[in-house]
Amino acid sequence: MDTGNYFLFLGQLPTWLQGILLRNGPGMHTIGDSKYNHWFDGMALLHSFTFKNGEVYYRSKYLRSDTYNCNIEANRIVVSEFGTMAYPDPCKNIFAKAFTYLSHTIPEFTDNCLINIMKAGDEFYATGETNFIRKINPQTLETLEKVDYNKYVAVNLATSHPHYDSAGNVLNMGTSIVDKGKTKYLLFKIPSSVPEQEKKKSCFKHLEVVCSIPSRSLLHPSYYHSFGITENYIIFIEQPFRLDIVKMATAYIRGVSWASCLAYNKDDKTWFHFIDRKTKKEVPTKFYTDAMVFFHHINAYEEDGHIVFDIIAYTDNSLYDMFYLKNLGKDFEENVKLTSIPTCKRFVVPLQYDKDAVVDSNLVTLPSTATAVKQKDGSIYCQPEILCEGIELPRINYDYNGKKYKYVFATEVQWSPVPTKIAKFNTQTKEMLHWGQDDCWPSEPVFVPSPDAKEEDDGVVLTCVVKTDPKDPPFLLVMDAKTFTELGRATVNVEMHMDLHGMFIPQQDVKTDTDKNESCLLPENLMENYLP
């Protein structure tokens, strides 16, 4: 699905909106006669909208990963994904090696990086949740070299939601599975630049491990999709949604997918870890809450000796199961229902508190319904404030990341896993604004701040909208972030798939001129001049 066509833009774009909206997600689920089991397994499809001088250009291209090339060459699925085990595998014997505790041999994971986009230095990478990422050209969507995190840090899995500090360094987390007899979670930093004398070297060669957190279980590490950050702390949540390493080791032989090796224990605790960014040490107090499953941190900040962090959580792991392709049939919106609605939870954790406080006392002194209750053993049991329900894929104004903030931009979902609206939620007043139209499935809304922004919501929100009727064309929606009203839309007359995550790249961060072959989405009165 490498596309290049002429399209139509209706509305008025802000003149300052210059750059590229780059999106990533699964796009191909059938290869030859073989099909993936799960929507998250599909071949990565990149697509972009380039904003330049009041015009919009569109293109899409499959990520030419090693996985993609092997599958296409064989005309069937020959490389396994998390929800689909493939047999046999002629491509470097991927996944065929035993994954055992005794030999410490780790199989090669897929490089089908279909989840997000990451900026490291001046370069951009498609990312998944394995140790592989793929460098891409954000203008042409060309796939470039493969990077193996494992060459620079001992991780087998890594998140697709890194953070960026004020200097532009990347902070990310990964899991090191049974390395030297230990399973641990590593926080690592990728520098934004390298010394002048080493300009030709990759920034990954200067990757630094900031700290490690031992897993509470050697053979059952926690799954995590994101982590949190404040000015002085890293927030890592160790949830009772865990990978079973022994089952993973034998999954290939048993003919089951790796997804079957994930298990949720509703009777276990969820542990909070806070790492001091200056000392690189974990706060010694043990903080925990009830069992939950979560994927996305929203934001976090510090206030009067507390860490306040917001996440979207579930009471079970039904979300992943909803996206098995067997469940996504014609009437799935009516027939497939979540058993747990996504809930926006705010935890308020007192790092500075009276050590002589009596047992069972609430240590939270901020005005919040969230509690943190001292236990007999000195640990602290936390219960959240419920901010709202029914939102997912949250985004914020990243200039407020790690700081006290007001606004969340998110998709709206209720009991169906597919979003039908987007929302702007005010965490302070609890007011929620909505955008939605019949038969529309919007993607993760991306906030882009205006260059002269004075308030947190000065800017625009961009979202790609797929129509439920394949005969109706999809479109890019541009909204005023403050009023949450439509400024315009770019209608795309080619098939556009639902995606997962992405980023807006300002024009000043793009290194070369816009590719001449991109497709232009133009104001209606100019359209006839560009038709072939």
Side-chain angles (χ1 to χ4, degrees), residues 148-329:
D148 182 357
Y149 277 138
N150 202 249
K151 290 183 178 178
Y152 310 103
V153 58
V155 295
N156 313 104
L157 305 166
T159 86
S160 259
H161 288 283
H163 284 280
Y164 305 90
D165 66 18
S166 57
N169 302 308
V170 178
L171 291 168
N172 204 1
M173 291 195 68
T175 302
S176 179
I177 300 173
V178 198
D179 179 55
K180 299 176 182 176
K182 295 180 180 179
T183 295
K184 53 197 173 186
Y185 314 105
L186 300 180
L187 173 70
F188 58 91
K189 180 171 77 172
I190 305 166
S192 60
S193 60
V194 297
E196 190 65 37
Q197 64 272 23
E198 299 184 40
K199 279 295 183 186
K200 292 185 178 180
K201 290 187 178 181
S202 163
C203 58
F204 295 96
K205 291 186 182 295
H206 294 268
L207 185 150
E208 169 196 350
V209 175
V210 177
C211 71
S212 68
I213 302 167
S215 170
R216 295 183 67 84
S217 171
L218 176 69
L219 297 176
H220 297 86
S222 176
Y223 169 81
Y224 55 101
H225 185 72
S226 62
F227 63 101
I229 190 171
T230 70
E231 181 182 358
N232 295 296
Y233 294 93
I234 300 293
I235 302 160
F236 173 66
I237 298 177
E238 194 172 12
Q239 60 185 341
F241 187 35
R242 299 192 182 96
L243 286 164
D244 186 318
I245 302 305
V246 174
K247 285 185 177 180
M248 286 185 73
T250 59
Y252 186 88
I253 299 167
R254 292 184 295 119
V256 299
S257 72
W258 287 348
S260 68
C261 307
L262 262 177
Y264 173 60
N265 185 348
K266 63 181 177 59
D267 299 317
D268 208 343
K269 296 181 176 69
T270 299
W271 296 90
F272 300 152
H273 301 271
F274 302 98
I275 297 94
D276 188 308
R277 294 175 62 182
K278 294 184 178 67
T279 66
K280 304 178 183 180
K281 302 292 185 184
E282 184 177 352
V283 173
T285 305
K286 301 300 180 186
F287 299 94
Y288 69 94
T289 189
D290 299 323
M292 65 179 182
V293 172
F294 90 102
F295 299 93
H296 295 115
H297 279 264
I298 302 174
N299 200 8
Y301 59 91
E302 299 163 38
E303 184 174 8
D304 295 337
H306 300 72
I307 288 180
V308 180
F309 66 90
D310 300 338
I311 63 172
I312 294 173
Y314 300 80
T315 56
D316 62 30
N317 61 326
S318 64
L319 179 67
Y320 183 85
D321 293 340
M322 294 301 97
F323 283 93
Y324 277 102
L325 294 180
K326 65 183 180 183
N327 296 328
L328 300 180

Side-chain angles (χ1 to χ4, degrees), residues 440-461:
C440 286
W441 292 340
S443 70
E444 168 195 61
V446 176
F447 175 83
V448 184
S450 61
D452 56 352
K454 294 181 174 60
E455 295 184 309
E456 184 180 339
D457 57 351
D458 286 339
V460 298
V461 170

